[in-house]
Every structure is written in structure tokens, then in C-alpha cells.
Amino acid sequence: MAPANSYDGYIFDYGGVLAHHQTSADQARLAKLAGIPQEPFSDLYWSTRLDYDKGVVTGIEYWANIGHGGNQSLAPGTIDHLIELDNESWMHFDESMWNWIAQLRDTGKRLAVLSNMPRDLGETLKSRTDRFNPFDHITLSYEVHSVKPEPAIYQHCLAGLGTAPERTLFLDDRIANIEGAKLLGVQGIEFLNRDDILLAMRT
């Protein structure tokens, strides 16, 4: 793994890289509110998640479909609450990563976020936090109607970031997404252990 100065641009996935993954306790709270046992709830939650991330369905439609799949008719107020809890479950920020991002920015590196993310979460992050402020460019799947590892979402991010693919490093916790980036010439690291990666990148 090359040191940080080997790259001009850095692209970060959000969930699993900049923020911790949703926990089993988070899922349990959502399942309880929806009135669906946790195991089938988890299957329903993920089975159509990419459509939600891509902006093909709204949050209301996504949660109504989950309710239908679990034989529950979810009231509008319940769906609003589910959306809020779901957003919160993806906002457990990894401060070590944000500290490193600040250091990269101080040295003049170009920074971007590239994430599969539904509109409800993305707009909440924009309106209620300043977490996107350090970045030169943001590509979120619901805005471009494309999800990783589709080529279009990487192309959008690279165009906005403005660095050459071979001089750009992408960090994501899913190998399929890393492979998708590599097809466009972007360097990639599968983000499995934050401490190991930060140590190697700072060496």
C-alpha cells in the first residue's frame, strides 16, 4: 500500500468507512417498530435497499413495501419514525477517519464521498450536520440514480473530483465496489481494518 502522498485524490465510501455500520441493536429497534420479527425484517430491509439508494422508490414506498412483506400495514406516522431511526442508525461517525480527512485536506489533497445512500439519509446529513463540508465533491447514489459498482456512479465522482484515476485512491468496505473502481483505473483498498489502513497510509 502506497503512502498518502502517492495520491492526489481520495474517494471515501460512507457506511463502513466514514461511519460505522448499522448495529444489530439498531436493526432490532427498527424491526420492533415495524412489528416484524428481526430475521425476516433484515431480509426485507436489504432485499430492496438498492432501489431506495438509487432513488427508484421513495422512503415512504420503501417502508410500505417492507411492511407489506412482513404482513404489516404501516401507518404514515410509523413510517416517518422508521425513516428517522434508520437515518440515525447510519450516523455513528468514526472520528478517527474524520481526523485523517482533516489532515489530508490540510496537505492539499482532493477529497470526495462516493456512497450508495437513500435520499432521506443524504438530505439529513446535509441539513443537520457539517460532515460533508471537508469534501471537494460528493456523489450520492440517489442523486445520480446509479449505485456501486455500476460505472456511471464512479464516472460522476471522478468528474467532480478532477483527479486522474491512477492518482486517485478509493476506500470501500466491499470488494465488489473496489473492483468496479479498478475497472476505471482508480486505485482501491478494501477497508477491512481502519487502524491498519491508517497506520499504513501514514507511514
Side-chain angles (χ1 to χ4, degrees), residues 89-109:
S89 73
W90 290 104
M91 294 171 65
H92 304 305
F93 306 114
D94 187 338
E95 297 299 342
S96 294
M97 290 299 296
W98 299 92
N99 291 337
W100 183 44
I101 285 163
Q103 293 169 13
L104 289 172
R105 187 167 183 80
D106 286 344
T107 61
K109 302 300 183 181

Side-chain angles (χ1 to χ4, degrees), residues 55 65 79 96 99 102 108 116 126 140 145 147 154:
N65 289 337
I79 289 177
S96 294
N99 291 337
N116 291 351
K126 290 178 184 179
L140 304 177
H145 307 297
V147 292
Y154 301 101

Side-chain angles (χ1 to χ4, degrees), residues 22-193:
Q22 184 185 69
T23 67
S24 58
D26 291 324
Q27 278 256 324
R29 281 191 289 271
L30 290 166
K32 182 178 180 180
L33 180 58
I36 302 170
Q38 189 167 355
E39 186 172 346
F41 173 85
S42 183
D43 291 339
L44 291 165
Y45 181 93
W46 290 113
S47 63
T48 60
R49 189 72 179 187
L50 284 182
D51 285 344
Y52 188 24
D53 288 345
K54 204 170 188 176
V56 174
V57 298
T58 66
I60 292 171
E61 292 168 331
Y62 170 73
W63 286 105
N65 289 337
I66 287 177
H68 179 75
N71 298 313
Q72 296 290 332
S73 179
L74 301 177
T78 301
I79 289 177
D80 289 343
H81 194 187
L82 284 163
I83 290 172
E84 184 70 20
L85 284 181
D86 189 39
N87 289 342
E88 291 174 2
S89 73
W90 290 104
M91 294 171 65
H92 304 305
F93 306 114
D94 187 338
E95 297 299 342
S96 294
M97 290 299 296
W98 299 92
N99 291 337
W100 183 44
I101 285 163
Q103 293 169 13
L104 289 172
R105 187 167 183 80
D106 286 344
T107 61
K109 302 300 183 181
R110 297 277 295 173
L111 306 174
V113 175
L114 172 58
S115 179
N116 291 351
M117 180 182 294
R119 176 177 297 275
D120 293 300
L121 175 56
E123 295 304 308
T124 296
L125 284 165
K126 290 178 184 179
S127 64
R128 299 186 192 176
T129 80
D130 60 359
R131 293 291 173 161
F132 288 156
N133 288 359
F135 297 94
D136 299 291
H137 178 75
I138 307 292
T139 292
L140 304 177
S141 57
Y142 70 89
E143 295 180 320
V144 298
H145 307 297
S146 177
V147 292
K148 296 174 292 184
E150 296 171 355
I153 195 169
Y154 301 101
Q155 292 164 346
H156 183 275
C157 189
L158 284 168
L161 187 60
T163 54
E166 67 274 11
R167 298 283 298 171
T168 303
L169 181 68
F170 176 47
L171 295 94
D172 193 292
D173 64 326
R174 295 192 63 222
I175 190 61
N177 295 340
I178 294 295
E179 294 301 326
K182 287 181 176 180
L183 290 175
L184 296 177
V186 176
Q187 305 302 302
I189 296 175
E190 186 179 6
F191 195 90
L192 299 178
N193 185 298

